[in-house]
Amino acid sequence: MIPQEIIRRKRNKQILSKEEIDSFVEGITSEDISDAQIAAMTMAMFLNGLSGKETVDLTLSMRDSGDVLKWNFDAPVVDKHSTGGVGDKVSLVLGPILAACGLYVPMISGRGLGHTGGTLDKLDSVEGYQTTPSNELFKKTVQEAGCAIIGQTQHLAPADKRIYAVRDVCATVESIPLITASILSKKLAAGLDCLVMDVKCGNGAFMENEADAANLADSIVRIANTIGTKTSALLTDMNSVLGKTVGNALEVFEAVEYLKGQDIDSRFDEVTKALCVEALLCSKVAANSKEALSKVEKVLKSGAALERFSKMVALLGGPADFVEHPKNYMSSSPVKQPVFANKEGYVSAMNTRDIGLLLVELKGSRTHPLHTIDHATGFSCFCQLGDKVDTKTPIVYVHAQNSEQAAFVARKLQEQIIIGERPAVGSAVLRRF
Ligand code: URA
């Protein structure tokens, strides 16, 4: 088929057949189709939309553009995907929790870009941990630890890699069918029985407004279930940083503390448990939410989830005693500067996206996929919405490489945490799809 004819039909608002979509995606994978043709096609799709069937066909075609993993386990294979936020370290604890509940979790994660963090960058903080292991080691880790969190390989949904890179520079990212196909092609290539989506909404999320986030959640759930992967989604709030830390090594430390039952942030706990419950219901290992929550709490309390995390780290090349001594195996910043509220009151709002961008100032996140980052910098003891604060107790600490950097970021950070007269209220989990 001639690529420009397929583009022309989409430009003219016609519905593409499965054969046309397959032919176009095959051309992308084989590199017979140019970046210019991908740009024209994705802009036509962005402007004219895709039907449900076109979205299913595009997702399947992109999924099948590379390896599709197959597992032979006697329990369901599940994963969670988040649309990204600030301080979101849920994946680090959810994988081990679900593994300890008897599920298998082959989690293919991404790196951070701009204001949102990425699970892979967090795990790269751990000395020795291989985020790009061989297929054999990945499979062995899933088999023995029940979970493995690794990066996307060259062979997993390669068409998405090319399409996404073009969309990123051609203003076609914000299209619900394109986002749906992009996310699902990668996730479904991991051979899942069930998927749980964490669609974030708020001023630190990719989708700020609840209606857009709800449309994305609805689209992903509909398309994935049509394809046959049982999927549900939670809409969760991203109008504040999630948990007490932002920054790679600092977030791994918080995740380990959480698995040990220490220093638990209530919103992080709420989101983590809600997503775990969703995964247990989706995979039918629990009959109802009460039973699912009790399983989650049991493996946290017994230390079984911590043990799974420890095993995953060791199998993937990290230290065998990482959970006992996490600070020995991650770098830390030489400067730690407290930030104080400029008046007494309650934490009533945060400019979450700007807080995420301050991590870029500390070199803890990147603005270009090829930038290297500093894993040690970030923020700890982050105040939470509703906290009562005064001007003498720190509301957050900045971890930086030098005092100039720390002072600059501390000043900016203070402006992004809004102190009001009333505590902010509201649940971290907004809706279920
Ligand atoms: N994340 C993805 O993987 N793909 C998109 O299109 C948007 C966010």
Side-chain angles (χ1 to χ4, degrees), residues 223-238:
I223 299 299
N225 283 306
T226 304
I227 288 170
T229 302
K230 209 158 175 300
T231 298
S232 64
L234 295 182
L235 215 67
T236 68
D237 180 71
M238 191 24 79

Side-chain angles (χ1 to χ4, degrees), residues 164 167 178-179 182-183 186 206:
Y164 192 78
R167 286 171 58 212
L178 290 177
I179 299 171
S182 170
I183 291 176
K186 288 175 287 214
F206 182 51

